[in-house]
Amino acid sequence: MTLDPAYLEYSQRREGMDHGLYAPSPMPARKPIAWPGGKAVAVTLLVNLEWFPILPNDKPFRAPGHMVTPYPDYRHYTAREYGTRVGFYRLLDAFANAGVKATVAVNSAIADRYPSIVADIVSGGHEIIAHATDMNATIDGSLPEDEERSIITEARDKLTKAIGTVPRGWQSIARSQSFNTPRLLVEAGFDYMCDWVNDDLPYIATTEAGTIVSVPFNHELSDRQMIAVQQQSMDSVAQQVGDALDWLKVESARYGAGRVLPFTLTPYITGLPYRMDAFEGLLARLAGDDATWFATAGELIDAWRPQAE
């Protein structure tokens, strides 16, 4: 059997990073970053608030968390809807009890179907970023540019109408992008994106249309990965996030530089009643530590960017 020569064709292949979006940047070689108040660790919470159509679109691929059994799959559909009906409100209460703000990545379909949720996010002082239109709006290299542009602009415009301000940030479904995505986000006016996971600090990506900041949210520090995929308990998750904080505090002191502790949350996963006690305990520990500064993604890059440029 011979390999199809087309398999080896890759338009972006070049010496170095195989792309021109950013250069290699080892952490110890960077200029130290300081957070407000001299805090060692910025804690950034990202909530994925999503709407799953009951019939999944398998092109270009089925989004993680989508329906899985013969349709109509009401069992999994309603399990995910639990997040918007119940679980997310538990998270909002937990944030309020701890006195912290979060960034909420919102499918624009949520604004159509659950406008009261959007209003509650805004009234709670949390940040909303665009998370495509719904969970069928996946992006990859096979998606025509016009279709991808339409997803991005529709999500931006619907959320702008719902919240009264233009969302600054973007997160793709499954954090999946095409080669066009960073440029299209710049063209659509986005300041930052939350799809790449290769760092502990924000950094600037350069496109043909201008620059955009990558705000990395570690793939492992996610309730979907730790609970749904790895089948861990919330107690175990809380211990690991606490361990990450302890390590980052030591590292911050060693290098004299601020660090970021990200954590991604899914309302229908963390928002179940038997997980909330451990989750609220984790928030209390993080908020009660003198070394931490809770920041939305927008606040994070506003503090970081003047020091990095």
Side-chain angles (χ1 to χ4, degrees):
M1 180 178 178
T2 59
L3 184 67
D4 183 349
Y7 185 81
L8 300 177
E9 294 177 1
Y10 177 50
S11 62
Q12 303 296 314
R13 182 166 285 114
R14 68 191 74 181
E15 184 178 357
M17 300 291 290
D18 270 10
H19 60 73
L21 291 164
Y22 55 84
S25 179
M27 180 75 85
R30 296 186 208 167
K31 176 184 175 182
I33 296 296
W35 299 131
K39 301 294 186 178
V41 180
V43 179
T44 306
L45 304 175
L46 178 66
V47 182
N48 292 148
L49 190 59
E50 301 164 333
W51 184 73
F52 290 85
I54 199 166
L55 295 177
N57 185 357
D58 288 334
K59 294 181 179 180
F61 60 88
R62 186 176 301 192
H66 227 311
M67 310 305 112
V68 294
T69 59
Y71 312 114
D73 184 357
Y74 287 112
R75 177 166 66 92
H76 289 98
Y77 179 84
T78 55
R80 282 134 187 80
E81 193 180 22
Y82 184 92
T84 50
R85 294 168 67 96
V86 182
F88 184 65
Y89 283 93
R90 290 195 179 118
L91 297 187
L92 285 180
D93 287 344
F95 299 151
N97 291 340
V100 303
K101 305 302 180 188
T103 296
V104 188
V106 180
N107 289 162
S108 62
I110 294 289
D112 292 333
R113 290 164 173 79
Y114 307 98
S116 63
I117 294 181
V118 173
D120 290 337
I121 296 169
V122 173
S123 66
H126 305 287
E127 178 187 31
I128 288 179
I129 67 172
H131 190 35
T133 51
D134 60 42
M135 295 304 286
N136 275 350
T138 49
I139 293 170
D140 78 346
S142 68
L143 188 68
E145 182 173 333
D146 287 346
E147 292 183 26
E148 181 176 358
R149 181 182 288 108
S150 179
I151 289 172
I152 291 170
T153 57
E154 180 182 345
R156 178 200 63 194
D157 293 348
K158 283 191 173 182
L159 288 174
T160 298
K161 182 178 179 180
I163 66 180
T165 59
V166 181
R168 298 174 56 192
W170 171 272
Q171 184 186 37
S172 299
I173 304 302
R175 306 186 188 188
S176 178
Q177 297 187 353
S178 74
F179 288 124
N180 298 317
T181 307
R183 170 178 56 82
L184 293 176
L185 292 175
V186 173
E187 292 174 355
F190 286 96
D191 294 334
Y192 61 91
M193 56 186 180
C194 303
D195 293 337
W196 299 348
V197 295
N198 59 340
D199 215 304
D200 280 343
L201 289 173
Y203 62 91
I204 294 174
T206 301
T207 78
E208 300 92 330
T211 60
I212 187 168
V213 177
S214 171
V215 182
F217 282 87
N218 190 288
H219 175 65
E220 294 290 327
L221 292 174
S222 157
D223 62 353
R224 187 189 298 277
Q225 180 68 15
M226 299 169 83
I227 294 176
V229 176
Q230 298 174 355
Q231 296 293 293
Q232 299 183 49
S233 68
M234 182 54 77
D235 292 295
S236 177
V237 170
Q239 178 180 337
Q240 291 175 78
V241 175
D243 289 346
L245 173 63
D246 291 341
W247 182 273
L248 291 171
K249 286 162 59 177
V250 171
E251 191 172 270
S252 174
R254 176 185 176 189
Y255 289 102
R259 292 291 186 259
V260 179
L261 174 58
F263 187 34
T264 303
L265 297 160
T266 310
Y268 67 83
I269 295 176
T270 292
L272 289 165
Y274 65 91
R275 293 182 176 133
M276 287 305 301
D277 184 64
F279 177 65
E280 289 204 334
L282 170 61
L283 283 185
R285 175 185 174 183
L286 295 174
D289 194 307
D290 290 339
T292 63
W293 168 54
F294 270 85
T296 65
E299 291 170 338
L300 185 74
I301 66 166
D302 286 344
W304 166 86
R305 193 158 195 164
Q307 303 178 66
E309 294 179 335

